[in-house]
Structures are given as C-alpha cells and as structure tokens.
Amino acid sequence: MSKSSVINSKQKARFHLETHEQAKERNEAKIIAFWNSGDKKLANISEKMMACRPQNPCGLLACSVCLRHFRYHYLKRYIGMWLRLYQKCPVYYVTAVLRVPVNAKKMPLNDFKMWVKKHFKQYGFDKVPLMGGVDYSVNIDETYNRPYICQHLHFLIAMQYPKAFTECLKRAFPVGENVPRPVRVDAITDREGLQKALNYTIPAFFEKRWRKLINERHRTKHYPLGNKQLCELYRFLATNKPKDLMFSQNISNQDIKRFKK
Ligand SMILES: [Zn+2]
C-alpha cells in the first residue's frame, strides 16, 4: 500500500493537508534546482529524493512527499488532544519571528529550538503546554542588502492569561526595522480554527517574503522560492528530517487530564 493511499480524502479535508500531487510537484522543482546547482551536497539530496519510494522513503526535510507524510501523522496524532485541551482552557496560536538573519554555523535548526526552550525556562514558562514547529523564509527587504534566511516559530499554547508569556517572547524576538511585529498571539475561537491552526504550525513548504514600500506603506508579499534560494535554504537544512521542525513541551494526554476546567 502506498503512503498516499493511506491518507483518504476525508482526512485530507479535515486536516487541510496538501495533496500528494502538490508534494510531488514541489519535489520536481527542487530535484531539478539541486541537480543543476553544481553543488555535490545538493546533487546528493536530489538523488535521494528521486529514489524516494513509499516502501523506502528518503526521510529528508527537503522532500515534500516525506514532509507531507510527517505532517499527516502529526495532525492525526495531536488534533484530538488539542480539541480536548481546548474544552478545558483557552488556546492561542502564536507566531514569533527572529529578525536576525540565520547564521548557518551558529544556529542550525535544532540549536534554534534549544535556544528558545532555554529562554522559556529562564522566564519560568517551561511548563506551559505548547506544540508547533519551526518555519523558514528567504526574506528580501531594505534592512539587508541581500536575501537572507529568516527563522520563525508557529505554535499553539494552552493558557488562561497569555500576557506575561507574550512579554517573555518579545524579549527573545524583539522588533526590528525588517520585522515590525515579531510576536503575534491570536486566540483560537472555534474547533475549525484550531484544526487549521495546528496545520499551520508545521509548514508544508517554505516561501520567499519580499517587504517593500507600496504607496508609502510597507507590505510583505509572498512568493515561491526561486532556484537559487531553494539551494541556499536546503544546503542549510541538508541533514534535517521533517520531524526536526517539530517543537513541543509538556504536552501529552496525561498532561491534559491534569488540566482543570
Ligand atoms: Zn522522500
């Protein structure tokens, strides 16, 4: 049985999951870009993606088919838990954007997650039930003179009063000229919104964000990544697996049972 046939259309609609065909199309663009890059590391990823099969998956983060497979199991495994938690406690969808460009040597994906967790601990928020993932974009704006890789976090938190936690986040994710609103905390207002929000926490793809002045106002437009940007980003994420994106703390069915209404 193929991986895609395990995921039926009803579940896809419920989880807002991308189609298997969309994932394959994204792979085709990457395979060609990596192969033509002249970079040995990327050519190697390209070969592994070409050989990726349901019975022998390549397991790379660069592979949209493997990422989709991971996203499906993530959503299937945790949506029920979050719906139960939502009945007991307010849930918020949080976005945090780091304004400093990624330094590939100093802060790879797993170090970024460790750094954030350490920050939460320092402020006493390491017991907050939280789950989500890391997202990347290639940004173009007036602050830096070349496109740069930007790190973001998207996660759900269950909390009665998120104000102090928001302040803690702002310490780690301060405002910059390129990121005027680095921290957003939005209350989830219904079950459908919760399902959508959980889907957004682990991105199906990364994009290019171009911040520019339009009619004297800054606006950010979103585009697919070009070949050069695909190569730069996945050279940085070459050894990562889809599950590396996931970021969570203090959340399990046992934790939820302990929640009082
Ligand atoms: Zn794969």
Side-chain angles (χ1 to χ4, degrees):
M1 190 185 283
S2 78
K3 272 193 293 191
S4 60
S5 65
V6 179
I7 309 169
N8 67 42
S9 56
K10 217 170 138 190
Q11 285 167 326
K12 251 181 342 210
R14 184 174 159 226
F15 296 144
H16 307 276
L17 199 72
E18 65 278 18
T19 64
H20 183 63
E21 287 65 37
Q22 281 171 324
K24 272 171 68 179
E25 267 174 40
R26 285 174 191 147
N27 266 10
E28 276 167 27
K30 283 183 270 189
I31 286 168
I32 294 169
F34 297 165
W35 190 254
N36 290 335
S37 68
D39 182 308
K40 233 177 158 183
K41 200 194 250 180
L42 290 172
N44 192 264
I45 296 176
S46 180
E47 272 181 17
K48 284 184 180 163
M49 284 168 68
M50 274 191 276
C52 181
R53 298 287 180 275
Q55 57 278 20
N56 190 20
C58 72
L60 294 171
L61 174 57
C63 174
S64 294
V65 173
C66 287
L67 175 58
R68 176 178 181 267
H69 191 63
F70 170 76
R71 277 170 34 74
Y72 167 69
H73 286 283
Y74 169 80
L75 297 169
K76 190 177 165 199
R77 182 166 181 191
Y78 296 114
I79 190 61
M81 204 166 83
W82 276 100
L83 287 168
R84 283 194 294 283
L85 190 51
Y86 180 60
Q87 288 174 340
K88 296 184 173 189
C89 180
V91 172
Y92 294 84
Y93 178 73
V94 179
T95 295
V97 182
L98 197 61
R99 65 182 166 87
V100 186
V102 165
N103 180 329
K105 288 197 183 92
K106 281 197 178 153
M107 208 183 268
L109 174 46
N110 290 321
D111 288 8
F112 176 53
K113 293 194 298 187
M114 295 273 284
W115 174 75
V116 179
K117 282 192 178 178
K118 246 172 142 177
H119 180 75
F120 290 168
K121 194 167 183 190
Q122 189 187 340
Y123 283 81
F125 288 106
D126 50 326
K127 297 286 184 285
V128 177
L130 173 161
M131 181 180 286
V134 180
D135 183 14
Y136 288 95
S137 58
V138 175
N139 288 16
I140 301 170
D141 54 53
E142 294 147 350
T143 316
Y144 299 96
N145 56 11
R146 61 179 297 275
Y148 61 93
I149 300 173
C150 184
Q151 272 164 333
H152 323 235
L153 276 177
H154 304 285
F155 56 87
L156 297 174
I157 48 162
M159 214 177 213
Q160 287 293 347
Y161 306 106
K163 207 173 166 211
F165 179 69
T166 307
E167 290 308 313
C168 151
L169 267 178
K170 285 179 178 172
R171 294 274 169 138
F173 297 89
V175 170
E177 263 182 55
N178 54 334
V179 186
R181 209 178 157 197
V183 176
R184 282 190 63 143
V185 179
D186 296 311
I188 300 287
T189 54
D190 56 40
R191 291 168 63 94
E192 172 75 2
L194 181 60
Q195 288 182 340
K196 277 189 183 164
L198 187 64
N199 181 31
Y200 295 147
T201 58
I202 304 274
F205 58 91
F206 304 123
E207 59 183 13
K208 178 166 82 180
R209 296 179 188 185
W210 195 344
R211 188 165 186 269
K212 48 189 165 184
L213 263 178
I214 300 171
N215 297 333
E216 295 179 21
R217 281 192 67 187
H218 273 107
R219 288 181 200 282
T220 302
K221 296 216 169 194
H222 302 243
Y223 302 92
L225 290 171
N227 287 352
K228 204 176 157 196
Q229 295 137 7
L230 279 173
C231 290
E232 191 185 352
L233 184 56
Y234 287 103
R235 200 179 289 118
F236 168 62
L237 299 170
T239 56
N240 287 112
K241 297 177 169 30
K243 73 172 170 52
D244 292 338
L245 290 183
M246 192 176 161
F247 177 80
S248 70
Q249 69 173 24
N250 211 37
I251 188 138
S252 69
N253 277 317
Q254 287 306 317
D255 294 320
I256 291 168
K257 274 181 200 158
R258 283 197 286 271
F259 256 78
K260 299 208 167 43
K261 266 194 183 181

